[in-house]
Amino acid sequence: AVDGARFGITELTLDGDTLHATRAAYRPVPVPAEVADSIRGHITEFATRVLGAEGERLVRGALRLPRHYPPVTRAVYARDGSLWLRREDGRIRENARIREDGREAVDRWEIYVDGARIARVELPAGLEVHAVHDGAVWGVEVDDFDVPYVVRYRILP
């Protein structure tokens, strides 16, 4: 990891007792200036529409955008007790479903059991994972016409 960047994963009981605590290394990915400017512009535009000129002043004084993308962009707790963490969102990293080399962009997931990483999985970028059960990942994909489909992918070792 760059500069020892790490994030924590803590599993708690319902009473708040710690079952597992793990620290995982990651490579910070900077948010490009043009992405931050676009976000800032959309928020400022909305605030100005709602609050008038005061909205722009309030946003400019209060909006603090992160310098890096988060190391985890989604977490799903599977029925077998494993924790699935989406570590790299292919849409963020590639900013498209198809990469320059012609291959489809993927989301990279890590699977943890009892605080230890046991596997890594690649799934199609943009798949919204809803459940992991009986050797399958269930989710929703959207096609090029924004039509959603419920899909199931088998998990192969």
Side-chain angles (χ1 to χ4, degrees):
V2 175
D3 299 324
R6 302 180 84 65
F7 68 93
I9 304 167
T10 305
E11 186 176 359
L12 305 173
T13 66
L14 293 176
D15 295 325
D17 297 324
T18 301
L19 290 174
H20 308 285
T22 303
R23 301 212 29 94
Y26 75 101
R27 180 183 52 84
V29 177
V31 175
E34 58 272 12
V35 171
D37 291 345
S38 175
I39 292 169
R40 191 174 291 108
H42 286 296
I43 293 172
T44 302
E45 179 184 324
F46 175 77
T48 302
R49 260 196 329 254
V50 173
L51 301 171
E54 181 68 7
E56 182 176 356
R57 188 188 68 74
L58 289 171
V59 168
R60 189 179 309 119
L63 185 61
R64 300 286 181 260
L65 297 175
R67 292 184 357 198
H68 297 90
Y69 287 110
V72 174
T73 57
R74 179 123 165 101
V76 175
Y77 196 67
R79 284 197 65 179
D80 66 2
S82 62
L83 176 64
W84 287 54
L85 301 179
R86 183 173 60 197
R87 291 298 308 280
E88 291 186 36
D89 184 324
R91 293 167 299 172
I92 291 172
R93 187 182 64 255
E94 308 292 346
N95 200 23
R97 289 192 52 88
I98 304 299
R99 303 182 325 189
E100 288 180 14
D101 63 7
R103 294 182 24 198
E104 186 170 353
V106 296
D107 292 340
R108 291 184 173 88
W109 291 74
E110 291 181 349
I111 304 169
Y112 289 81
V113 173
D114 296 333
R117 186 180 67 210
I118 63 162
R120 291 182 178 155
V121 175
E122 290 186 348
L123 296 171
L127 171 67
E128 191 65 32
V129 174
H130 289 278
V132 180
H133 177 63
D134 284 343
V137 174
W138 291 86
V140 175
E141 288 182 330
V142 178
D143 69 10
D144 293 337
F145 299 104
D146 291 330
V147 176
Y149 292 90
V150 175
V151 295
R152 178 182 71 121
Y153 288 97
R154 283 188 351 184
I155 302 167
L156 302 173

